[in-house]
Every structure is written in C-alpha cells, then in structure tokens.
Amino acid sequence: MDLGLQDKSVLVMASSAGLGKAAALEFCREGANVMLFSSSEEKLQAAQAEIKAATGKEPAYTVGNVTKAEDIKKVVANTVNRFGPVYALVNNAGGPPAGTFDDFDDTVWQKAYELNLLSYIRSIREVVPFMRQIGTGRIVNYTSSSVKQVLENLILSNTFRMGVMGLTKTLSHEFGKDNILVNVMGPGRIGTDRIQQLDEIRAKKANMTIEQVYENTIKTIPLGRYGTPDEFARLTVFLCSEANTYITGQTMLVDGGMIKAY
C-alpha cells in the first residue's frame, strides 16, 4: 500500500524518545520530511542520528517546551520554512505526575492542563492555517487508554486526556469541510520509559518488585505482553497518510486487548 507520505511535511511533538520518536522513525521510513521537537537538544541529536541510521532519512529538529506558546510557534515556523506547509501533526506530551485527588493543588492541576491539553490546542491552532492552504491535513492526538477506562492513581491524566478526546471529536466536525482528519490514539501498556516509571511507582506503593508488577499486568492483557513503540507508531502513520481518507473523530486504542470497555 502506498501511504502517499513521500516528502510530506510532518511535525511530531515530544519526539526525542518513546512514542514520539517511534512515530518520527516510521514517518521517515515512508519518506516524509519530519521535524522533531523536544526540550533536550542532546536527546534530539541522538534521535536524529538513530532515525537516519535506521531509515537513511534525516529528520530536522527544534528545541523547545510544549508548554510554551512561543516555542510551539517556533517549531511550526521552522517546519514550514524547512519543509513547506505542515501536512500532518502528531500531538504528544509527557504524562503528568501520578497521584490521587488529595495529592495536588491548583499549581499542579494548572501545569497538567498546560502540558496535556493546552499544548495540543496551541499546536493545532498553529498548523491548521497551513493545512487549509494545501487543502488537506491529518492530526493525531496521543492520549491514553484512560479515555476508555480510568487508570488508578492517575487522576490528572484521566481528566485531561478526556479533554483531548472532546477537542478531537469537535474538531473533526469543524474541520471536515477542510478535508482535515483528526483522531485520537490511546496507548495501553507500551514499553516506554513512562510505563517503566509508572510500574516502579506501582511496585513501591504495593511493596512489590517491578517484575511482579509486570507479571501481574500481562495477565490482564489478552496478547500476554506489553506492546512496542513501533507497533503504536505504525497506526499513527496510517492515520496520517493519504491511505486514510475517511477515518476522523475516532479514538483508537493500541492495548493488546487490555481495556474491556466498549
């Protein structure tokens, strides 16, 4: 299947590691022109080199913070100047702190809002004029399996991921006339540093080893293992490709069948 991504301008947020880096690699594998974005230039340079070695295609990168409006404006401007109008945007950001309702004051709630919802709003606002200019576009918003089934000890994530889901569904209606497709992807237990961190927190809280947490968790996953970032990334690339012409406003989980909710 020709995904039609050759030389397309693609911006992947929070892409120096984890799911973002995996998506960037798969886009480069398809010949897209990819802009990486992260707050760590060292990690960006490492990701750039790794992706080039794996695909033969070197992505560009911009250093910045997803919670700063001026940095989002900068990375979009850099992408357009380097590769032309943005065709696809992958919204991604690190997860907020784990904890329960009593653990957080207004300051933490505000930071989680800016990280996991407002950053998505800002990046969409910046790229949509360029998508309208070229008459098409694709947006994928990363969330979590918590949009279908809340996760224990993750109230901040549970709350703001649902905001992204509402944003996405609404924008799919508003942007349909512009041929801009907008979807949500939610990872289950995908083997990233974030999941490792959460498993360590769970282990400490339950007085268990990390290995015990893993063994208990995979019992709840029909496929019997954690997923890999590349498995998640391949669906991202399809949803952002020209092969996807009629899927918009949807929420798709990549979770090995873990979530039991419809």
Side-chain angles (χ1 to χ4, degrees):
M1 181 185 296
D2 182 5
L3 298 181
L5 286 167
Q6 185 70 40
D7 296 326
K8 287 287 198 298
S9 178
V10 176
L11 170 57
V12 184
M13 307 297 279
S15 44
S16 64
L19 299 180
K21 183 176 75 172
L25 187 150
E26 293 299 326
F27 278 114
C28 284
R29 205 184 296 281
E30 294 297 326
N33 294 323
V34 177
M35 178 64 73
L36 307 175
F37 181 70
S38 166
S39 60
S40 170
E41 185 163 20
E42 182 180 357
K43 289 183 178 179
L44 283 167
Q45 290 174 340
Q48 182 186 53
E50 179 183 335
I51 291 169
K52 183 180 181 181
T55 69
K57 184 98 173 177
E58 184 176 69
Y61 71 79
T62 298
V63 180
N65 191 315
V66 295
T67 64
K68 294 183 178 180
E70 60 270 24
D71 287 357
I72 291 175
K73 288 178 182 289
K74 178 178 69 173
V75 70
V76 172
N78 287 352
T79 306
V80 173
N81 291 336
R82 181 76 176 266
F83 299 131
V86 176
Y87 164 77
L89 166 69
V90 178
N91 261 324
N92 183 34
T100 62
F101 185 79
D102 290 334
D103 294 329
F104 304 122
D105 60 15
D106 281 3
T107 301
V108 182
W109 277 97
Q110 182 66 30
K111 287 181 178 179
Y113 160 66
E114 292 176 2
L115 177 66
N116 295 118
L117 180 55
L118 186 57
S119 69
Y120 287 27
I121 294 167
R122 285 169 167 165
S123 58
I124 292 170
R125 182 187 294 132
E126 292 302 315
V127 303
V128 163
F130 297 105
M131 293 180 175
R132 286 176 171 148
Q133 178 184 325
I134 61 176
T136 189
R138 304 288 186 272
I139 299 169
V140 168
N141 296 319
Y142 284 179
T143 56
S144 163
S145 62
S146 65
V147 297
K148 294 292 186 179
Q149 182 174 297
V150 297
L151 299 175
E152 186 178 348
N153 203 46
L154 288 174
I155 190 170
L156 296 174
S157 179
N158 292 340
T159 301
F160 292 113
R161 308 296 193 186
M162 288 301 294
V164 173
M165 196 173 174
L167 173 70
T168 300
K169 196 69 172 179
T170 304
L171 293 183
S172 71
H173 286 250
E174 294 186 6
F175 294 165
K177 65 183 183 302
D178 302 305
N179 196 31
I180 298 171
L181 281 56
V182 193
N183 291 289
V184 167
M185 283 184 62
R189 308 303 288 185
I190 307 293
T192 62
D193 290 343
R194 166 72 171 173
I195 291 300
Q196 175 74 16
Q197 177 190 46
L198 292 176
D199 280 355
E200 289 171 355
I201 292 171
R202 291 169 65 197
K204 184 176 181 180
K205 189 174 181 181
N207 196 28
M208 300 167 64
T209 67
I210 191 80
E211 291 77 18
Q212 288 173 316
V213 168
Y214 175 79
E215 291 300 323
N216 287 344
T217 302
I218 64 172
K219 290 175 184 177
T220 70
I221 303 173
L223 292 187
R225 62 178 176 84
Y226 283 12
T228 62
D230 65 292
E231 288 176 311
F232 190 83
R234 289 196 290 271
L235 179 57
T236 303
V237 171
F238 171 78
L239 290 174
C240 287
S241 75
E242 289 190 346
N244 173 27
T245 56
Y246 206 60
I247 300 171
T248 191
Q250 302 307 307
T251 297
M252 302 182 192
L253 301 188
V254 181
D255 69 345
M258 178 181 71
I259 299 301
K260 294 182 174 63
Y262 288 108

